[in-house]
Amino acid sequence: MLFIAPPARPQVGAHVPLDEDEFHHAVKVLRLREGARVPALDGAGGRYELAVERVERRSIELVLGALPTHEPAPGEPGAPLPRIELAVAWPKDARGEDMLGRLVQHGVARIRPLLTERTGAERRAGRRARLERLMKEHLKQCGRAWLPVLDEPASLEAVLAELADTLPAPAIHLDPRAAGSLATALAEDEGQPSAGLLVGPEGGWSPAEEALLEAAGTRSARLGPHVLRIETAAEAAAAFAATLLARS
């Protein structure tokens, strides 16, 4: 599987360029040879079949071998995935990157890193580019057609305002003390192919953040009887919501 930019003219025989990362993957990992066929994704719903015309030491020539197909965006009519927007207090270091990869595989449409009283944002040179490469690798691995949107870190107040504008039902924030389960909360939105989920930091939401959540009208829900790590809660909630909403 390769990741490509959407061709300007998606017609059979049109040449398809690769960036440096994908060239390396095609030649060094997939070891493509002349005459081979390889599937590709563009992260915007397009699925392609590419034909290899020529392979040289420092270049590879690919063309469209068939007309592409297009998958509706998550949550749209005919889409195999619901639209899940997940806001999460980002775990540190490799935990955050591992979580991001699994959220891509679970089909999350938009990932919103949260700035909370107990968590900040990692700001390392090249980090954004690294995370985008990571998402593309997991997209190719699982074969989903749409690359998630990864937002810049934002405050809880800002994220709550955006979720209220983009989703038809109130968002759900995870809380191990909640009376109702995530299944119950999602069942209230039967027929809605979308959900907004919020996962707080280790140590839980602060009193001020709980007040913001209540004022925004979000619903609290628990995943189970135990306190989970951030990434465990985020991944479990995303997988559960994707499965449950895909059935409705």
Side-chain angles (χ1 to χ4, degrees):
M1 186 78 72
L2 293 173
F3 188 92
I4 63 173
R9 294 185 300 168
Q11 58 191 29
V12 175
H15 288 271
V16 179
L18 298 180
D19 64 20
E20 184 177 348
D21 289 338
E22 291 304 303
F23 168 75
H24 180 272
H25 186 69
V27 175
K28 302 297 184 181
V29 179
L30 298 179
R31 299 183 181 276
L32 295 178
R33 297 293 181 261
E34 292 180 12
R37 297 267 176 154
V38 59
L41 303 166
D42 64 12
R47 296 183 182 274
Y48 304 82
E49 181 184 80
L50 307 182
V52 182
E53 288 202 336
R54 186 171 69 251
V55 180
E56 298 180 354
R57 184 176 180 182
R58 297 183 181 276
S59 66
I60 185 169
E61 191 169 318
L62 298 168
V63 298
L64 284 182
L67 290 176
T69 60
H70 188 270
E71 180 180 298
E76 291 185 353
L81 289 173
R83 179 172 182 80
I84 298 171
E85 297 200 18
L86 188 142
V88 56
W90 209 258
K92 293 181 179 179
D93 303 321
R95 291 170 54 201
E97 294 187 0
D98 290 344
M99 178 189 71
L100 178 63
R102 287 190 282 267
L103 293 179
V104 173
Q105 294 180 52
H106 286 313
V108 176
R110 188 165 188 168
I111 301 166
R112 300 173 178 269
L114 271 178
L115 298 175
T116 71
E117 291 186 16
R118 296 188 171 102
T119 58
E122 290 189 69
R123 302 188 183 278
R124 296 200 301 264
R127 178 169 173 76
R128 176 77 191 192
R130 175 179 172 81
L131 294 181
E132 289 177 350
R133 286 195 301 271
L134 179 68
M135 289 198 299
K136 290 176 183 177
E137 289 301 317
H138 283 271
L139 184 90
K140 292 188 295 181
Q141 187 274 324
C142 69
R144 65 176 284 194
W146 284 86
L147 192 68
V149 175
L150 177 63
D151 287 359
E152 292 295 329
S155 68
L156 176 61
E157 186 174 13
V159 168
L160 287 171
E162 290 184 3
L163 289 175
D165 288 339
T166 59
L167 296 173
I172 301 166
H173 70 272
L174 298 186
D175 186 341
R177 303 165 300 172
S181 68
L182 180 58
T184 301
L186 290 170
E188 294 173 358
D189 304 329
E190 185 177 359
Q192 295 285 357
S194 61
L197 304 172
L198 297 111
V199 180
E202 292 176 354
W205 305 104
S206 72
E209 289 162 350
E210 289 180 338
L212 282 174
L213 292 165
E214 182 177 1
T218 66
R219 297 163 290 171
S220 63
R222 53 179 167 75
L223 277 170
H226 306 122
V227 176
L228 305 178
R229 299 188 79 170
I230 298 170
E231 61 271 29
T232 305
E235 295 158 22
F240 188 78
T243 302
L244 189 64
L245 295 178
R247 294 175 178 171
S248 59

